[in-house]
């Protein structure tokens, strides 16, 4: 550097990554960030995306001389930097203690250092610094709305071009962020960690989001999605469903968190379980019915109640076990806010990586997710899951009068067979629409093409095969 350290003062923004601050300092001095970064000795290479290109959420850890150098470059005291930068002072085994006086640095990803990393609002940054530049900062998902400018700030770890979504046309998203403050206080009063309450509610609603493609009565989310996509998700519906998910479902996440903290809701779950006389949770239970009403969907109750094995039923089970005094060791199944790993929703970055590999891999035109629309995949999955749930309920029915048992078994098995048949026909039709030869499909189905074709024709005439884009309109 030819400039005197600290000649141009560059103040850190609250929650900013150290890497982002270094880039802004370089901009103030009119140089490329990589030139300024040469002032440190680097112990590894910067993280990048699978397809190449630097990651926006790349983070920097510094040793003591390295922190002193950065403080001098930006003209800000170290204690100020320590309060503003979450990664400040974090140690790394690859960095020496600085006894030799050499400024050293190591690359990390922000999510592995101090939590979720998102883009900052460039307009707010311009108001603070006078320059419209990119800022990357640590921000939990309940603090992603820039209320002043109506922007939802996106995760910075994904390989996609957008920094934010315009949510000015969906004011309920900003309103939900304001509401979350009260919900977080309520969680603290109840002895629950707000972060864990939010994580569980987010997992519940994200699971609904995946199922919503075959919810014919769902109209709110498609409208919001088209709005944040610039008016119409168009032919990129699947990509926009990934990018826009967290913003679109945020109001429902806050509503679910609020509901799960309500003692009256826990009481409804207890009553649905039979209270002192245990019974299976009913499909028309008062808890799920009331939960659907609290998220503005009076029809959702039965769908939520029959989604066995998800985070919502796990929460209900924990609440019921606590009331019965039948919980396990602390921190396990008797913890309502314990979110199992298999229930954690996929991140935007992870979903985009999968989508990108499917579209770029050799022969991707034959890959299932790339050629079968998401609404058709959702219908197939729904039929299979419904059949599975129906069969699981038959495990303990062979008790009682022979006529009653036979009647229940035959009716339930017939219903399950119809569901499997439905999934089978939809799968075969999806394969045909994907360009696979009818002869091959018939061979896989162990029937002749002449027998298969009438079944496929009947499936195409089924009025229930409306596309998601048609429902959204």
């Amino acid at each position: 550097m030819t400039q005197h350290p600290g000649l141009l003062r560059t103040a850190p923004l609250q929650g900013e990554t150290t890497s982002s601050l270094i880039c802004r300092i370089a901009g103030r001095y009119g140089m490329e960030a990589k030139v300024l970064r040469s002032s440190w000795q680097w112990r590894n290479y910067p993280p990048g995306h699978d397809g190449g290109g630097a990651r926006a959420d790349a983070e920097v850890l510094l040793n003591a001389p390295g922190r002193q150098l950065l403080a001098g470059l930006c003209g800000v005291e170290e204690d100020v930097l320590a309060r503003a930068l979450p990664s400040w002072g974090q140690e790394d085994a690859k960095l020496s203690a600085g006894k030799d006086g050499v400024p050293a640095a190591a690359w990390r990803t922000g999510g592995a250092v101090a939590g979720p990393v998102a883009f900052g609002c460039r307009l707010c940054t311009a108001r603070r610094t006078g320059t419209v530049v990119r800022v990357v900062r640590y921000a939990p998902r309940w603090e992603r709305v820039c209320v002043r400018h109506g922007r939802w700030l996106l995760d910075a770890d994904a390989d996609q071009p957008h920094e934010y979504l315009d949510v000015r046309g969906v004011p309920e998203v900003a309103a939900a962020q304001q509401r979350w403050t009260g919900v977080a206080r309520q969680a603290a009063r109840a002895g629950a960690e707000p972060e864990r309450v939010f994580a569980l509610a987010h997992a519940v609603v994200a699971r609904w989001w995946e199922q919503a493609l075959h919810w014919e009565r769902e109209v709110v989310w498609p409208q919001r999605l088209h709005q944040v996509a610039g008016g119409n998700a168009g032919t990129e519906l699947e990509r926009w469903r990934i990018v826009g998910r967290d913003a679109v479902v945020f109001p429902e996440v806050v509503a679910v968190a609020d509901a799960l903290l309500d003692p009256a809701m826990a009481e409804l779950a207890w009553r649905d379980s039979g209270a002192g006389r245990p019974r299976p949770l009913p499909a028309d239970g008062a808890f799920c019915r009331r939960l659907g009403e609290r998220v503005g969907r009076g029809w959702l109750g039965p769908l939520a109640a029959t989604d066995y094995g998800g985070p919502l039923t796990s929460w209900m089970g924990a609440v019921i076990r606590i009331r019965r005094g039948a919980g396990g060791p602390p921190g396990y199944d008797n913890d309502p806010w314990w979110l199992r790993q298999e229930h954690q929703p996929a991140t935007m970055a992870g979903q985009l990586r999968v989508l990108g590999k499917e579209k770029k891999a050799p022969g991707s035109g034959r890959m299932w997710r790339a050629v079968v629309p998401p609404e058709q995949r959702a219908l197939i999955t729904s039929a299979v899951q419904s059949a599975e749930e129906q069969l699981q309920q038959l495990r303990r029915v062979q008790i009682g009068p022979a006529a009653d048992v036979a009647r229940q078994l035959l009716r339930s098995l017939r219903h399950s067979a119809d569901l499997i048949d439905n999934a089978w026909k939809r799968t075969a039709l999806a394969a045909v629409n994907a360009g696979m030869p009818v002869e091959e499909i018939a061979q896989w189905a162990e029937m002749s093409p002449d027998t298969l074709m009438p079944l496929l024709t009947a499936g195409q005439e089924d009025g229930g095969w409306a596309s998601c884009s048609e429902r959204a309109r």
Side-chain angles (χ1 to χ4, degrees), residues 64-87:
R67 292 192 290 270
Q68 294 172 3
L69 174 60
L70 180 60
L73 290 171
C74 63
V76 177
E77 296 78 7
E78 287 195 46
D79 60 338
V80 175
L81 293 171
R83 290 193 297 270
L85 305 179
S87 67

Side-chain angles (χ1 to χ4, degrees), residues 320 381 441:
I320 294 166
T381 300
I441 299 173

Side-chain angles (χ1 to χ4, degrees), residues 128-176:
R128 286 281 308 277
T129 67
T131 307
V132 181
V133 294
R134 187 180 79 177
V135 169
V136 181
R137 55 187 294 269
Y138 294 95
R141 286 186 174 81
W142 56 81
E143 293 180 358
R144 292 298 180 86
V145 181
C146 172
V147 178
R148 180 186 295 273
H149 300 111
R151 294 180 170 184
W152 175 276
L153 305 172
L154 291 167
D155 292 340
D157 61 346
D159 188 8
Q160 56 89 31
H162 304 286
E163 294 185 11
Y164 69 90
L165 300 176
D166 188 342
V167 294
R168 288 175 296 177
V170 281
E172 62 268 30
V173 175

Side-chain angles (χ1 to χ4, degrees), residues 84-442:
L85 305 179
S87 67
W88 189 266
Q90 294 209 27
E91 303 296 335
D92 188 274
K94 292 186 177 182
L95 297 176
S96 65
K99 295 180 180 180
D100 53 3
V102 177
W107 288 103
R108 290 290 180 269
T109 57
V113 174
V117 181
F119 293 104
C121 175
R122 292 197 181 215
L123 298 180
C124 289
T125 302
R127 293 182 71 250
R128 286 281 308 277
T129 67
T131 307
V132 181
V133 294
R134 187 180 79 177
V135 169
V136 181
R137 55 187 294 269
Y138 294 95
R141 286 186 174 81
W142 56 81
E143 293 180 358
R144 292 298 180 86
V145 181
C146 172
V147 178
R148 180 186 295 273
H149 300 111
R151 294 180 170 184
W152 175 276
L153 305 172
L154 291 167
D155 292 340
D157 61 346
D159 188 8
Q160 56 89 31
H162 304 286
E163 294 185 11
Y164 69 90
L165 300 176
D166 188 342
V167 294
R168 288 175 296 177
V170 281
E172 62 268 30
V173 175
Q177 180 164 290
Q178 295 174 335
R179 182 184 178 190
W180 169 252
T181 303
V183 176
R185 286 196 297 264
Q186 181 183 352
R189 288 194 299 268
E193 298 177 24
E195 298 85 356
R196 299 182 67 208
V197 173
F198 185 91
L200 181 66
H202 183 258
V204 170
V205 180
R207 187 174 174 98
W208 290 348
W209 174 258
E210 294 304 316
Q211 299 167 350
L213 278 172
H214 58 265
W215 289 353
E216 295 183 359
R217 301 178 66 176
E218 178 56 54
V219 296
V220 176
W221 283 344
Q223 291 173 355
R224 279 191 205 149
L225 182 62
H226 286 302
Q227 186 70 37
V228 302
N232 191 347
T235 59
E236 295 188 300
L237 175 65
E238 188 160 15
R239 188 180 69 85
W240 278 112
R241 273 182 54 82
I242 295 172
V243 175
R245 180 195 67 185
D246 287 349
V248 170
V249 305
F250 184 54
E252 285 73 23
V253 171
V254 176
V256 168
D258 185 36
L260 297 184
L261 287 166
D262 188 348
M265 293 294 290
E267 179 65 24
L268 290 179
W270 171 243
R271 293 179 183 177
D272 286 343
S273 72
R277 303 177 63 183
R279 66 180 182 185
L281 292 172
D284 59 347
F287 169 82
C288 287
R289 183 169 64 250
R290 179 61 182 141
L291 182 62
E293 294 170 355
R294 292 183 68 149
V295 297
R297 294 160 176 79
W299 45 265
L300 180 58
L303 296 176
T306 55
D307 181 23
Y308 305 112
L312 183 60
T313 53
S314 293
W315 180 90
M316 295 173 67
V319 168
I320 294 166
R321 284 191 294 273
I322 292 173
R323 292 288 295 268
R324 289 179 181 159
Y332 191 58
D333 268 0
N334 62 329
D335 180 1
W337 311 113
W338 177 58
L339 181 62
R340 299 178 181 177
Q341 184 175 1
E342 62 268 25
H343 291 161
Q344 295 177 5
T347 64
M348 176 177 70
Q351 293 181 86
L352 288 176
R353 281 196 298 269
V354 172
L355 185 63
K357 288 179 180 179
E358 289 174 344
K359 291 185 175 181
K360 294 179 181 179
S364 62
R366 288 288 184 93
M367 296 186 71
W368 185 257
R369 285 174 56 91
V371 295
V372 179
E375 63 272 10
Q376 292 188 22
R377 300 200 311 269
L379 290 169
I380 295 170
T381 300
S382 175
V384 173
Q385 289 179 342
S386 297
E388 180 182 8
E389 293 162 3
Q390 185 77 25
L391 292 171
Q392 286 179 345
Q393 295 176 16
L394 298 180
R395 290 180 176 179
R396 300 179 181 178
V397 301
Q398 298 191 56
I399 299 175
D404 293 344
V405 172
R407 179 171 60 252
Q408 184 174 356
L409 279 172
L410 289 173
R411 288 178 175 176
S412 298
L413 289 170
R414 179 67 268 173
H415 182 55
S416 299
D418 290 340
L419 291 169
I420 292 296
D421 188 57
N422 180 289
W424 181 92
K425 291 178 180 177
R426 292 184 186 278
T427 302
L429 183 57
V432 170
N433 292 337
M436 300 176 196
V438 175
E439 293 75 13
E440 290 187 20
I441 299 173

